[in-house]
């Protein structure tokens, strides 16, 4: 069974590397959208493998909301230095200051939705014609509709009914002026595939993914981390818990999982027994039944 799993991961790796090389062949100015989460880390690692011994030929683009976990930013900067990669940062705070977006208020305020405008502005500023992301089809029903090469119109918006067929892994990157593509090389991977690949390749991850003690509070059945920009309700109180992140986003919307998993083997065992989806702890997905699809249509990752 172990050999079968290695073969399975090798096939997924080969498919993803093929997609990344197709991007380099078909587009003039691609970029990798880097969030600091495990999926975007795996995409960067695959790009490193795809073009080794040359450097990764795409810049890493991080849309910084200003509400990230500090560990995410520290990991990002260390990875960029290690790889000698180019980093481009789009700032949501700058979008707010420029009047491009308006800050949310209240206990449930989040900058997660605001980053769509910053992302589209960054793509326009640098004239990227392809933006490579780490989304997978098994994550969420809207993401299950994505192609490997996902077309975006001149406004950066996604129409799931207007996508190109992809037969026999033949990808069509033709576009009109002002349009671009989102590329998803690990579309066919599952959460378990990602973790087993990280274990197989011994890919370094942010410490957030492993169990650690943190000040958290319970909001609507989710443990959220304390941060200076998080406003607690009078009924909410901080407690110290042993937790880890299963998926990483902004502090405001990333639910933490109670866990004692301290290494990759223990995380894999935990995921195998889990009965809650990976994004089940993401508050941004729970704003409506179609929250993710609405954001994607507007230009989200």
């Amino acid at each position: 069974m172990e050999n079968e799993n290695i073969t399975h991961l090798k096939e997924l790796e080969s498919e993803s590397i093929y997609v990344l090389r197709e991007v380099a062949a078909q587009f003039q100015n691609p970029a990798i959208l880097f969030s600091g989460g495990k999926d975007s880390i795996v995409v960067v690692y695959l790009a490193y493998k795809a073009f080794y011994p040359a450097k990764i030929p795409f810049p890493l683009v991080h849309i910084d909301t200003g509400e990230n976990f500090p560990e995410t930013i520290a990991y990002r900067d260390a990875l960029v230095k290690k790889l000698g990669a180019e980093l481009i940062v789009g700032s949501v705070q700058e979008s707010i200051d420029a009047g491009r977006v308006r800050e949310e208020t209240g206990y449930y305020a989040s900058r997660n939705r605001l980053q769509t405008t910053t992302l589209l502005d960054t793509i326009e500023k640098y004239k990227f014609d392809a933006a490579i992301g780490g989304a997978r089809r098994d994550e969420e029903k809207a993401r299950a509709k994505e192609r490997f090469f996902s077309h975006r119109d001149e406004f950066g918006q996604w129409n799931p009914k207007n996508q190109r067929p992809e037969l026999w892994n033949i990808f069509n990157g033709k576009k009109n002026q002002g349009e671009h593509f989102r590329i998803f090389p690990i579309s066919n991977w599952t959460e378990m595939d990602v973790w087993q690949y990280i274990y197989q390749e011994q890919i370094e991850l942010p410490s957030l993914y492993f169990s650690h003690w943190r000040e958290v509070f319970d909001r609507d059945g989710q443990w959220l981390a304390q941060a200076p920009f998080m406003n607690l309700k009078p009924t909410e109180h901080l407690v110290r818990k042993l937790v880890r992140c299963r998926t990483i986003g902004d502090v405001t919307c990333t639910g933490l999982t109670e866990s004692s998993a301290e290494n990759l083997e223990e995380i894999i065992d935990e995921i195998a027994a889990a009965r809650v989806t990976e994004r089940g702890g993401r508050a941004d997905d729970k704003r409506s039944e179609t929250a993710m699809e609405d954001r994607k249509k507007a230009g989200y990752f």
Side-chain angles (χ1 to χ4, degrees), residues 212-280:
H212 58 284
W213 290 98
R214 188 177 287 269
E215 296 288 320
V216 297
F217 62 96
D218 184 349
R219 175 171 291 173
D220 302 331
Q222 292 181 317
W223 292 113
L224 295 179
Q226 166 65 338
F229 44 79
M230 295 289 282
N231 297 315
L232 273 65
K233 300 176 184 178
T235 56
E236 295 172 338
H237 304 285
L238 290 175
V239 294
R240 190 169 173 80
K241 291 277 186 181
L242 187 62
V243 297
R244 74 175 191 87
C245 290
R246 190 169 165 190
T247 176
I248 294 178
D250 280 358
V251 177
T252 56
C253 59
T254 300
L256 300 168
T257 302
E258 290 190 71
S259 171
S260 59
E262 297 180 343
N263 54 53
L264 292 172
E265 295 97 324
E266 291 176 354
I267 288 175
I268 289 171
D269 289 342
E270 185 177 275
I271 296 300
R275 293 297 175 263
V276 177
T277 63
E278 180 179 5
R279 293 187 68 94

Side-chain angles (χ1 to χ4, degrees), residues 2-292:
E2 183 177 350
N3 290 336
E4 289 179 12
N5 187 56
I6 291 173
T7 301
H8 170 65
L9 293 176
K10 194 66 179 177
E11 289 173 352
L12 289 173
E13 179 191 69
S14 297
E15 178 182 63
S16 299
I17 286 176
Y18 170 75
V19 172
L20 288 165
R21 289 173 176 167
E22 278 292 299
V23 172
Q26 293 196 38
F27 296 96
Q28 294 182 338
N29 192 25
I32 295 176
L33 300 179
F34 184 76
S35 68
K38 69 182 186 311
D39 298 316
S40 65
I41 291 168
V42 166
V43 169
V44 170
Y45 181 82
L46 289 164
Y48 168 78
K49 270 197 156 185
F51 301 102
Y52 183 82
K55 291 184 178 180
I56 297 174
F58 319 124
L60 274 57
V61 175
H62 180 223
I63 303 304
D64 185 1
T65 65
E67 296 182 345
N68 298 281
F69 287 95
E71 294 94 330
T72 303
I73 302 301
Y75 179 90
R76 178 201 71 185
D77 294 344
L79 180 65
V80 168
K81 183 178 180 180
K82 177 181 178 181
L83 296 177
E86 179 185 359
L87 174 66
I88 294 172
V89 178
S91 169
V92 172
Q93 184 62 56
E94 290 181 6
S95 297
I96 294 170
D97 295 342
R100 294 284 293 146
V101 292
R102 186 169 63 181
E103 184 100 64
E104 294 183 359
T105 59
Y107 292 117
Y108 291 89
S110 172
R111 291 183 172 182
N112 186 267
R113 181 180 59 83
L114 308 186
Q115 65 184 318
T116 296
T117 298
T118 308
L119 171 61
L120 294 177
D121 287 349
T122 303
I123 289 173
E124 173 62 24
K125 177 180 178 179
Y126 291 93
K127 306 301 180 185
F128 294 126
D129 55 359
I132 305 164
R136 309 185 322 268
R137 292 185 179 124
D138 76 316
E139 285 184 274
E140 200 273 341
K141 57 188 177 183
R143 287 182 166 171
K145 300 177 183 179
E146 290 280 20
R147 302 286 201 270
F148 281 104
F149 279 30
S150 185
H151 176 263
R152 297 299 197 269
D153 65 20
E154 64 272 25
F155 301 106
Q157 297 179 334
W158 173 63
N159 182 353
K161 297 181 180 179
N162 186 29
Q163 298 298 315
R164 317 282 173 80
E166 293 181 344
L167 305 176
W168 305 291
N169 278 358
I170 298 175
F171 304 121
N172 181 358
K174 292 183 179 179
K175 58 182 178 51
N176 296 318
Q177 184 70 28
E179 299 175 345
H180 73 276
F181 278 80
R182 303 290 172 84
I183 312 295
F184 302 108
I186 61 171
S187 287
N188 286 337
W189 297 47
T190 65
E191 181 186 12
M192 182 61 80
D193 292 331
V194 170
W195 280 112
Q196 289 179 334
Y197 186 74
I198 290 169
Y199 174 72
Q200 174 183 288
E201 302 292 310
Q202 290 298 294
I203 300 172
E204 186 177 352
L205 294 177
S207 58
L208 290 165
Y209 279 113
F210 304 96
S211 65
H212 58 284
W213 290 98
R214 188 177 287 269
E215 296 288 320
V216 297
F217 62 96
D218 184 349
R219 175 171 291 173
D220 302 331
Q222 292 181 317
W223 292 113
L224 295 179
Q226 166 65 338
F229 44 79
M230 295 289 282
N231 297 315
L232 273 65
K233 300 176 184 178
T235 56
E236 295 172 338
H237 304 285
L238 290 175
V239 294
R240 190 169 173 80
K241 291 277 186 181
L242 187 62
V243 297
R244 74 175 191 87
C245 290
R246 190 169 165 190
T247 176
I248 294 178
D250 280 358
V251 177
T252 56
C253 59
T254 300
L256 300 168
T257 302
E258 290 190 71
S259 171
S260 59
E262 297 180 343
N263 54 53
L264 292 172
E265 295 97 324
E266 291 176 354
I267 288 175
I268 289 171
D269 289 342
E270 185 177 275
I271 296 300
R275 293 297 175 263
V276 177
T277 63
E278 180 179 5
R279 293 187 68 94
R282 289 292 291 268
D284 49 328
D285 288 353
K286 298 182 179 182
R287 291 197 168 194
S288 74
E289 286 294 321
T290 59
M292 174 62 80

